[in-house]
Amino acid sequence: MNGKDEVRKKLKAARARFAGEDRVLADRAVCENFINNYLGCESFFVFSSFGSEADTKKIISRLIGADKRVYLPRVEGDTMLAVPYGEMQRGAFGIYEPCGQPYSGKIDVAAIPLLAVNGRGYRLGYGKGFYDKFLRGRPEILKVGLGYSFQLSEFNEDGWDIPLDAFVSDTGVIKF
């Protein structure tokens, strides 16, 4: 097992144990910190939270309520597409994905899931590389990782990893 695999295993377990009122309060704080910092933008690519990930349902709801353009990921083969928020169905990994036509225009902010983020702004995902592939060649997108403060962890990034611009957690925003 390499260093990244050990960090993934440790933080998956920590996130799975994080529950109850503490988690509810943390999710509320993540939402408020995200909205307070990024509501001035117009278009958002937001992951559909799954399992023990930081909850994005309230973020999506608040953005839609503020008349923002919201896109969610849909995986087709080894490609992740941005699709307007709308009718949802379970996708290949059991995650709810939008059913509409893919969007290829401008996106201001991408809210990105993570297992860990290091002090240099590199995220550790699930190892499939979907987000790195999606973000490569799109420097105009503000890349914002969403998670809990305990997910800040040290690990060595790889040359192909795309760094985040910020990490939004229950305790605030770290800009890289």
Side-chain angles (χ1 to χ4, degrees):
M1 199 180 315
N2 69 33
K4 281 187 169 185
D5 288 339
E6 290 170 22
V7 172
R8 276 189 186 99
K9 184 177 176 182
K10 178 180 142 201
L11 288 174
K12 269 187 190 176
R15 211 173 57 184
R17 287 189 307 268
F18 189 51
E21 187 64 18
D22 288 341
R23 185 183 189 99
V24 169
L25 293 172
D27 281 332
R28 189 174 303 145
V30 169
C31 177
E32 289 306 314
N33 290 333
F34 183 84
I35 294 296
N36 290 341
N37 281 273
Y38 300 104
L39 193 60
C41 297
E42 292 303 315
S43 58
F44 296 84
F45 179 69
V46 182
F47 69 96
S48 180
S49 54
F50 180 75
S52 63
E53 293 173 337
D55 185 26
T56 58
K57 291 172 196 68
K58 287 182 182 68
I59 291 171
I60 293 167
S61 177
R62 296 270 301 271
L63 292 172
I64 289 172
D67 290 325
K68 303 299 179 175
R69 291 187 316 279
V70 178
Y71 308 95
L72 276 68
R74 182 172 74 215
V75 173
E76 292 183 2
D78 64 350
T79 303
M80 188 169 66
L81 306 167
V83 179
Y85 177 80
E87 182 186 342
M88 306 283 278
Q89 67 183 23
R90 279 197 194 274
F93 297 98
I95 301 168
Y96 279 97
E97 299 176 331
C99 299
Q101 290 299 310
Y103 171 78
S104 60
K106 183 178 185 285
I107 294 173
D108 296 322
V109 178
I112 303 168
L114 51 82
L115 283 166
V117 60
N118 69 21
R120 295 171 300 285
Y122 288 89
R123 67 181 272 280
L124 189 59
Y126 297 98
K128 302 273 188 224
F130 286 112
Y131 282 89
D132 288 327
K133 285 185 236 170
F134 178 80
L135 295 167
R136 188 160 284 111
R138 293 177 161 182
E140 74 284 358
I141 298 176
L142 192 63
K143 296 167 285 303
V144 179
L146 295 184
Y148 306 113
S149 55
F150 64 81
Q151 291 177 269
L152 196 57
S153 182
E154 275 312 309
F155 57 88
N156 293 321
E157 63 274 359
D158 292 311
W160 58 81
D161 292 335
I162 305 278
L164 298 172
D165 296 301
F167 172 52
V168 174
S169 76
D170 46 313
T171 58
V173 179
I174 298 171
K175 294 186 177 170
F176 302 107

